[in-house]
Amino acid sequence: MAQGWRGKEAIEMATTTGVSKEEFKNAKLYKSVHGIDMEEFYTSGHRTCQGCESALVMRDFVKASGPRTVVTGATGCMYVANTSYMTTPWVVPWMHTQLGGGGASAVGMAAGLRALMRKGKIPDEKINVINFSGDLGGGDMGLGGISGALQTDYDMLIIIYDNESAANTDIQATNMTPWGAQTTFTPTGSKKRIMHDKWKKNVAPMLAIGHPNCKYVATACATFPPMDYMNKVKKALSIGGPTLIHTMDPCPKGWDYHPRYSGDLGQLAIKTGIFPLYEIIKGEVNYTYDARKTKRVPVREYLEKQGRFSHFIEDDFEFVQSRVDEMWNDWEIPGVAPIKGWLSVRR
Amino acid sequence: MSGSSRGTKSEAVSTAEMEKSVLRLEVNYRGIFQKSLAYRITNDLVYAAHSEGKTAFSNGRYSDDPQRNGVPCANFAFFSDALSEDDLEAVASASMDIDRANVVVVLDDTMVKGLEPWGHYGIRPINEKVIPGGTLLIVSRRKPEELIRHLEKKTFDYNIAILPGDQSFAGLWYYRDDATDVRTIAAVARVAPEIVGIHSVEEYVKKKYNDAAKVKSLQEAYDSVVVREVKQSEGIAWPHSKPKLPSWDSFDEGIVVKSVERGFTLGPRGQNRNPNFKRGTSKTQRPVIRFDTCIKCTLCWYDCPDECFDPTADGLYDVNYEYCTGCGRCAQVCPVDDCIVMVDDLNFEDNSSPWEMYKRDAEGYVKWLEEKKGKVRFMPSPVTGKGVRHTEIKAAVPFKQDGGN
């Protein structure tokens, strides 16, 4: 009964992944879950939902980056949940910025620190600058600012935490909401079953391809495979320059599932291949969990565990499966770049 | 919610005079999963009262939004047989919260341990707003006495009413209609017929749903409510300090919030945490841990989104129940059979460290724990509205003498 779906496999995975490469020899990557730092810099007492994955994304990035970190957060549920009513669970300094202001605030913070260090007003040391924006704040509204930030030469990490909706204001659709999902903007009805008929925006490759000077772009899930996300944060911070991580955050509130299953849904999103896991290091794609190698799990197993897809009929499951198959089978770089998937030269 | 009539029925009457006819109802529920349910209850009560010619309206507590899973939230409904809607709104609404209620409905019985909603500091008693002679109406499978032992002692007598039923986590997009809505309305009609009579409720439900099963559960609920008086001597001295919000002149320059001071040591309560908002009242179930069978895999600690697990020097993980929201992720990820199990929070008296108890007397701890756990295990279906699976285990995992060391 208490047997998690991960079971032994998770422990095995937890002790075998995270092998450090020569180029990340200074990143101090975690090699075992037992080696993870125990101290918290984002601690208990926050107003997040039960089972919130995004809270783990926050806790883990600051755990990986350590106490010499400053964080800026764009408006979103992870802002409101963590500084409302004059209390906070943050140990490290944190600053709120506007919904679309993630990129600009990180640039400003990094530039300010560099200037203060140059003038000798603060000691010259490595201080990690991290911005934390949601799928609406980062992937939609703040995209321009993030694009600008990725063209600078400041050291900073931008994390887009993607819970596939504007979850703070009670679940409105964003461009990162998956096809067919119910939100308050896109309820199902008797006349039209599928209100959200757009495919999810592919934001990480878009930013990687469009910003060739950005040395590190990755996708991640906070808890699966164990340590993978934290090591990606360490890699991003050690490689230098502006970097980006896009995380997949199951959201019990908006996806309408029992909070107990957040970890399972993150795992299923990766194993079904609906959310490909990779890192792009100086233009080279490295699959950190290749769903093809474990024989992709049918997407139905992922979709049917969420209330937001409870209106799906057989055709809908098949349609989503066909799009995911296409992504892995037909794209030039499977799961990442859809050049051959939909783009072609007119003859 | 629109009222039955606009304009003024009463002119130049003092607020105190108008107040006399106002009846207030509060519905306490768990954020998100009971949101649709709570709105149905207050809406239906308002419409049923309208059919009796009363003025009524309902609203949600402003500071509850944006709601979070499990966080205690409240809806209010106001009724009057003398005032116009404008007057009723003038007297009863336009405030963030209400300070008294004739009937306080509780949709999840674990809330009797206290409430810590979004917009407040500290843990408040569930019966805080009940007026003398008013009623605390709880949906529960427990006896009144089992719930009263968690309630704050009042300075007057009031009533407790139990509507037999489970916590209905009806869901958000997928709404499960298990008749908790009409059953609760019937129970309100039973304990406070001055708000709305059962006949009006029955007529309204017949018209709205046209469903014989709904009407039947309405009558069943009306008859099954157990009412008992709570004397002022009953209850406990409230163990938590009452909430106190900082006033505008106590803020720092700009909007500066004091961070948590850095601090970590191994062992129970070794990690510094946010002292002003703890969040532990969000839980309906708590994870209980068999330290003797633990394999020290770290996954409960690794997966906990509320950072509740404290690593100890012997490689185990203590849990701080003051901050635990009862999401169940640790129980789900734990690879050992029956090692972390979610158990009804009402079975427990306090939030003290389970690891310390285990260290004092390992075998005694396991025995105590297995009694609390019982033989039935609850497994919620992934989609919240689709119910809970109950399974019975044959026997508890035997105590492992040298485990956990």
Side-chain angles (χ1 to χ4, degrees):
Chain A
M1 136 83 206
Q3 185 79 35
W5 294 355
R6 283 196 243 174
K8 281 178 188 157
E9 172 207 3
I11 297 169
E12 203 170 292
M13 189 91 71
T15 46
T16 54
T17 53
V19 182
S20 95
K21 281 186 175 179
E22 182 59 22
E23 60 191 315
F24 294 115
K25 64 174 188 270
N26 296 326
K28 296 191 186 118
L29 301 183
Y30 292 130
K31 295 196 176 75
S32 144
V33 279
H34 291 95
I36 296 171
D37 297 274
M38 286 175 180
E39 183 173 2
E40 310 288 353
F41 302 107
Y42 168 79
T43 181
S44 314
H46 31 89
R47 292 172 163 86
T48 51
C49 289
Q50 293 166 313
C52 176
E53 186 85 0
S54 303
L56 274 172
V57 172
M58 294 230 288
R59 171 219 191 188
D60 286 354
F61 83 64
V62 69
K63 203 185 256 292
S65 71
R68 299 309 283 166
T69 300
V70 287
V71 185
T72 85
T75 306
C77 52
M78 288 298 107
Y79 145 58
V80 175
N82 295 300
T83 47
S84 300
Y85 298 104
M86 306 306 285
T87 84
T88 181
W90 282 107
V91 176
V92 298
W94 177 94
M95 186 192 83
H96 170 228
T97 184
Q98 299 310 309
L99 187 43
S105 72
V107 172
M109 219 173 233
L113 286 171
R114 184 190 282 183
L116 287 170
M117 284 176 199
R118 192 184 66 235
K119 291 175 182 174
K121 300 217 167 153
I122 57 171
D124 194 354
E125 63 170 319
K126 167 117 174 134
I127 294 179
N128 298 313
V129 175
I130 299 181
N131 170 258
F132 198 65
S133 300
D135 49 314
L136 174 61
D140 284 354
M141 201 188 213
L143 202 59
I146 289 175
S147 172
L150 294 183
Q151 288 293 81
T152 67
D153 65 348
Y154 293 110
D155 295 348
M156 73 185 110
L157 167 62
I158 292 166
I159 296 174
I160 298 177
Y161 71 97
D162 180 7
N163 49 26
E164 303 194 325
S165 69
N168 183 43
T169 43
D170 279 357
I171 321 301
Q172 287 80 26
T174 70
N175 286 321
M176 316 279 266
T177 301
W179 183 89
Q182 289 188 63
T183 66
T184 43
F185 281 178
T186 58
T188 184
S190 53
K191 292 252 159 50
K192 203 168 176 196
R193 192 180 67 258
I194 302 296
M195 274 294 277
H196 189 69
D197 53 6
K198 290 164 200 74
W199 200 255
K200 187 180 170 80
K201 188 195 276 186
N202 200 3
V203 74
M206 172 169 79
L207 290 168
I209 295 164
H211 304 84
N213 294 326
C214 173
K215 290 181 226 160
Y216 192 86
V217 172
T219 60
C221 173
T223 47
F224 186 84
M227 299 184 298
D228 177 71
Y229 164 62
M230 280 198 257
N231 281 339
K232 281 173 177 164
V233 171
K234 280 173 175 275
K235 288 176 193 172
L237 291 171
S238 73
I239 205 166
T243 49
L244 182 117
I245 295 177
H246 173 201
T247 64
M248 174 67 157
D249 301 8
C251 170
K253 173 183 174 181
W255 300 12
D256 194 13
Y257 64 85
H258 191 281
R260 183 180 175 121
Y261 300 101
S262 289
D264 294 346
L265 281 167
Q267 189 184 99
L268 277 171
I270 290 152
K271 288 190 168 174
T272 54
I274 203 162
F275 188 78
L277 221 54
Y278 54 83
E279 51 191 3
I280 305 173
I281 309 162
K282 296 175 187 163
E284 284 177 2
V285 176
N286 175 33
Y287 294 99
T288 48
Y289 186 97
D290 194 336
R292 291 168 298 184
K293 285 184 184 160
T294 49
K295 210 179 163 211
R296 283 186 282 118
V297 174
V299 290
R300 175 196 289 270
E301 286 198 27
Y302 168 72
L303 301 173
E304 71 185 5
K305 291 186 172 65
Q306 303 169 47
R308 62 176 175 162
F309 299 120
S310 57
H311 58 305
F312 267 25
I313 60 170
E314 198 58 38
D315 289 357
D316 303 330
F317 289 116
E318 279 172 19
F319 174 69
V320 176
Q321 185 67 60
S322 73
R323 290 292 298 259
V324 174
D325 289 348
E326 182 191 299
M327 181 167 82
W328 286 99
N329 298 335
D330 300 343
W331 288 11
E332 201 162 63
I333 302 174
V336 184
I339 309 295
K340 223 189 268 175
W342 62 278
L343 203 63
S344 59
V345 179
R346 184 179 279 186
R347 305 216 179 264
Chain B
M1 183 72 41
S2 73
S4 60
S5 59
R6 296 200 75 89
T8 45
K9 276 185 195 169
S10 49
E11 278 168 37
V13 184
S14 72
T15 310
E17 196 59 37
M18 290 202 284
E19 175 63 38
K20 281 181 185 164
S21 71
V22 179
L23 297 166
R24 292 176 172 81
L25 175 119
E26 181 186 60
V27 178
N28 288 286
Y29 65 98
R30 294 280 181 200
I32 292 297
F33 295 137
Q34 292 188 321
K35 183 182 182 179
S36 310
L37 174 66
Y39 274 76
R40 279 183 176 222
I41 289 168
T42 45
N43 280 8
D44 287 355
L45 278 170
V46 164
Y47 280 116
H50 284 179
S51 73
E52 290 185 353
K54 288 191 177 104
T55 309
F57 71 93
S58 68
N59 60 271
R61 181 164 56 201
Y62 174 76
S63 59
D64 286 339
D65 283 314
Q67 288 183 8
R68 301 295 190 231
N69 289 350
V71 171
C73 299
N75 268 10
F76 310 123
F78 307 92
F79 308 86
S80 168
D81 56 4
L83 299 179
S84 67
E85 193 195 345
D86 288 353
D87 285 344
L88 182 60
E89 280 191 12
V91 176
S93 75
S95 61
M96 301 280 276
D97 207 342
I98 59 173
D99 56 1
R100 58 195 182 283
N102 303 68
V103 178
V104 173
V105 179
V106 185
L107 293 178
D108 172 6
D109 57 2
T110 53
M111 285 200 229
V112 299
K113 293 184 113 182
L115 303 171
E116 199 175 13
W118 259 77
H120 299 279
Y121 285 32
I123 299 171
R124 309 165 71 138
I126 188 81
N127 56 357
E128 190 181 15
K129 292 168 189 166
V130 182
I131 59 166
T135 304
L136 182 66
L137 169 64
I138 306 176
V139 182
S140 179
R141 292 274 176 217
R142 297 195 178 240
K143 292 193 185 76
E145 291 70 28
E146 289 178 83
L147 301 174
I148 290 169
R149 73 193 176 99
H150 295 289
L151 297 176
E152 188 191 28
K153 197 183 278 189
K154 303 288 274 188
T155 54
F156 48 78
D157 299 345
Y158 62 101
N159 301 307
I160 186 168
I162 307 285
L163 169 64
D166 297 316
Q167 306 141 343
S168 173
F169 288 136
L172 184 67
W173 306 123
Y174 180 90
Y175 182 80
R176 181 174 64 133
D177 192 352
D178 59 1
T180 302
D181 49 357
V182 294
R183 293 184 81 241
T184 310
I185 297 160
V188 171
R190 166 81 183 275
V191 301
E194 65 276 21
I195 286 179
V196 64
I198 186 68
H199 294 296
S200 316
V201 169
E202 209 174 314
E203 286 306 310
Y204 174 74
V205 168
K206 270 183 194 163
K207 213 169 107 192
K208 181 176 176 187
Y209 296 102
N210 193 23
D211 179 351
K214 279 257 186 193
V215 177
K216 205 178 158 209
S217 49
L218 190 82
Q219 288 150 346
E220 170 272 318
Y222 187 81
D223 296 334
S224 64
V225 175
V226 179
V227 187
R228 169 198 189 289
E229 193 174 43
V230 185
K231 292 283 175 201
Q232 53 172 295
S233 58
E234 292 180 282
I236 54 169
W238 195 240
H240 311 284
S241 55
K242 289 280 174 69
K244 193 171 152 248
L245 280 168
S247 60
W248 67 271
D249 56 351
S250 61
F251 290 170
D252 289 333
E253 205 174 312
I255 307 172
V256 180
V257 180
K258 203 173 178 303
S259 66
V260 178
E261 210 170 304
R262 188 178 173 188
F264 173 78
T265 51
L266 283 175
R269 314 290 199 261
Q271 170 70 48
N272 279 4
R273 296 180 158 97
N274 179 2
N276 294 321
F277 186 75
K278 296 188 178 170
R279 197 46 229 278
T281 59
S282 291
K283 61 178 165 294
T284 53
Q285 294 184 319
R286 68 164 63 180
V288 296
I289 306 164
R290 280 284 298 266
F291 293 109
D292 59 318
T293 60
C294 171
I295 58 165
K296 304 176 181 179
C297 71
T298 77
L299 288 176
C300 55
W301 167 79
Y302 186 81
D303 255 36
C304 175
D306 288 283
E307 300 83 29
C308 298
F309 287 89
D310 282 314
T312 58
D314 52 6
L316 294 170
Y317 292 87
D318 185 33
V319 58
N320 187 336
Y321 292 121
E322 280 187 344
Y323 289 90
C324 169
T325 63
C327 67
R329 285 187 69 156
C330 49
Q332 182 66 12
V333 79
C334 180
V336 180
D337 191 30
D338 226 41
C339 177
I340 302 184
V341 172
M342 300 304 289
V343 179
D344 190 337
D345 197 47
L346 278 177
N347 291 358
F348 300 89
E349 277 71 41
D350 64 12
N351 290 332
S352 60
S353 156
W355 179 80
E356 281 175 349
M357 192 174 167
Y358 173 74
K359 283 286 146 183
R360 278 196 301 272
D361 172 14
E363 197 163 2
Y365 169 78
V366 170
K367 190 164 172 275
W368 170 83
L369 196 66
E370 289 300 336
E371 269 169 28
K372 295 285 186 196
K373 280 158 80 173
K375 292 276 192 292
V376 181
R377 303 286 179 265
F378 306 89
M379 194 61 155
S381 55
V383 176
T384 32
K386 296 196 175 175
V388 178
R389 190 161 46 87
H390 297 222
T391 48
E392 199 161 331
I393 59 157
K394 286 196 183 78
V397 177
F399 174 64
K400 217 168 132 195
Q401 194 63 47
D402 54 352
N405 288 310

